[in-house]
Amino acid sequence: MAIREPVYTSLVPYFYANYAFEANRVRSRVLGRDIDIDLSQFADILHLSSGGVDVYSFDLHDFEYPDGESALTASTLIHGDNNPGLVRNEGVNKFTLTAQVLAKIIFYNIIPKSGEYSNARGPVPLIIYCLLRGIKINFPRLIATHMASDQIRMSGRSLTYGMLIIDLLRGLGFDLSSESPSDPSINLDSVLLKRMEAQSRRHALEQPPVLPADAPGSSSAPGSSSAPGTSSAPGPVLPPDFQAMISSEIRSQIQEHQSWIEQRDAAFRAEMDARF
């Protein structure tokens, strides 16, 4: 993802001052020209798919889960722990390494925030769950809705999506030649990702125990550790739209951890079946 690009910071406040997202239409006014496009055109300009579930107005408790899933199983996937008390946890430090990496990507790129990054509130845990489960998210709707939220307009908050807004204006044919661009103060590619890489080295991955080859319900395939009575579900696959937004280094860390998540999830399902 090319992050270090010129931003016309003088135009961003005007875009937000006139911005509205209603009835699946993105509206604003910049440089004396009205913007009125539907969500699909907004998605096309940003090279994103307009399909997928709406997650912005939901959390782990009111989301419509696939069969057999619930807020507890979602929390278990995010935390690597089936403690029901963690369902309402917002502390990122209690997430698995994979979920922590995804939370930082969300904080910096998908739902940008300023200030502290230690708590994942609102739809963030649900977004992490969907990414880990391979559930397609409607990112254009997520972004357009967040742009219209009161969080963006709070006093003292930095205006977000600056580069995205400029890309949108360019895609709509705006002439920006008379505007003075500025470069972002932080190169996220080289600074942020190195910080996350350093953090990942400090957290050694916990290796789950491997069942003996003759254990009931175990597979004869090498490395298999499916619990009795459970089927081997495919590991979570990151949506293509999201894969394009993250670096290959972070993507490899996520994929490396997916097999461990699958084994923990299978063990939890087996325990729930035994209890109920």
Side-chain angles (χ1 to χ4, degrees):
M1 180 179 180
I3 297 178
R4 190 172 179 82
E5 296 179 356
V7 178
Y8 298 84
T9 53
S10 61
L11 301 180
V12 176
Y14 289 103
F15 180 88
Y16 275 112
N18 299 300
Y19 181 79
F21 179 56
E22 299 173 338
N24 286 335
R25 299 197 70 83
V26 172
R27 297 183 174 91
S28 187
R29 182 177 177 83
V30 178
L31 296 175
R33 176 179 164 186
D34 288 333
I35 299 172
D36 187 352
I37 57 177
D38 61 28
L39 189 61
S40 62
Q41 186 178 357
F42 178 78
D44 289 341
I45 293 173
L46 300 179
H47 306 288
L48 296 171
S49 171
S50 57
V53 298
D54 179 13
V55 297
Y56 191 81
S57 304
F58 302 95
D59 58 24
L60 291 181
H61 300 280
D62 50 18
F63 182 67
E64 187 174 344
Y65 289 95
D67 291 343
E69 298 284 325
S70 66
L72 179 58
T73 58
S75 173
T76 301
L77 185 63
I78 294 171
H79 295 94
D81 189 328
N82 60 7
N83 181 356
L86 291 173
V87 174
R88 296 187 180 276
N89 168 63
E90 296 178 344
V92 175
N93 63 336
K94 294 184 179 179
F95 291 178
T96 65
L97 174 61
T98 302
Q100 289 184 41
V101 172
L102 289 174
K104 287 198 173 183
I105 294 172
I106 293 167
F107 291 154
Y108 278 88
N109 294 282
I110 301 176
I111 306 181
K113 60 181 294 188
S114 57
E116 57 84 23
Y117 300 93
S118 58
N119 292 299
R121 300 187 175 94
V124 175
L126 179 58
I127 295 172
I128 294 173
Y129 162 75
C130 289
L131 293 173
L132 292 173
R133 265 285 172 256
I135 299 173
K136 188 176 183 180
I137 296 172
N138 191 327
F139 283 112
R141 177 177 294 279
L142 176 66
I143 294 170
T145 306
H146 188 56
M147 281 182 167
S149 70
D150 293 336
Q151 299 178 39
I152 298 284
R153 293 161 174 77
M154 289 180 64
S155 177
R157 292 284 181 90
S158 300
L159 294 176
T160 61
Y161 301 119
M163 284 171 277
L164 182 148
I165 290 170
I166 300 307
D167 283 342
L168 179 65
L169 296 180
R170 286 174 174 156
L172 291 171
F174 276 75
D175 181 8
L176 306 179
S177 59
S178 61
E179 303 298 318
S180 299
S182 60
D183 290 330
S185 59
I186 297 179
N187 184 337
L188 295 183
D189 275 329
S190 65
V191 177
L192 172 62
L193 297 184
K194 284 183 179 179
R195 290 175 184 169
M196 290 194 288
E197 182 181 356
Q199 181 185 9
S200 69
R201 287 196 298 266
R202 291 196 296 268
H203 294 272
L205 297 181
E206 177 187 347
Q207 296 298 326
V210 179
L211 291 175
D214 57 350
S218 63
S219 170
S220 60
S224 174
S225 58
S226 298
T230 62
S231 61
S232 179
V237 179
L238 299 181
D241 289 346
F242 185 76
Q243 291 189 29
M245 301 174 70
I246 62 177
S247 74
S248 58
E249 293 182 11
I250 299 301
R251 190 158 59 247
S252 65
Q253 293 175 20
I254 295 171
Q255 292 170 345
E256 180 182 348
H257 204 51
Q258 284 177 353
S259 60
W260 175 82
I261 294 173
E262 180 183 355
Q263 292 175 0
R264 290 296 298 270
D265 182 56
F268 171 67
R269 288 174 180 275
E271 182 179 346
M272 291 296 100
D273 290 343
R275 288 183 181 180
F276 304 103

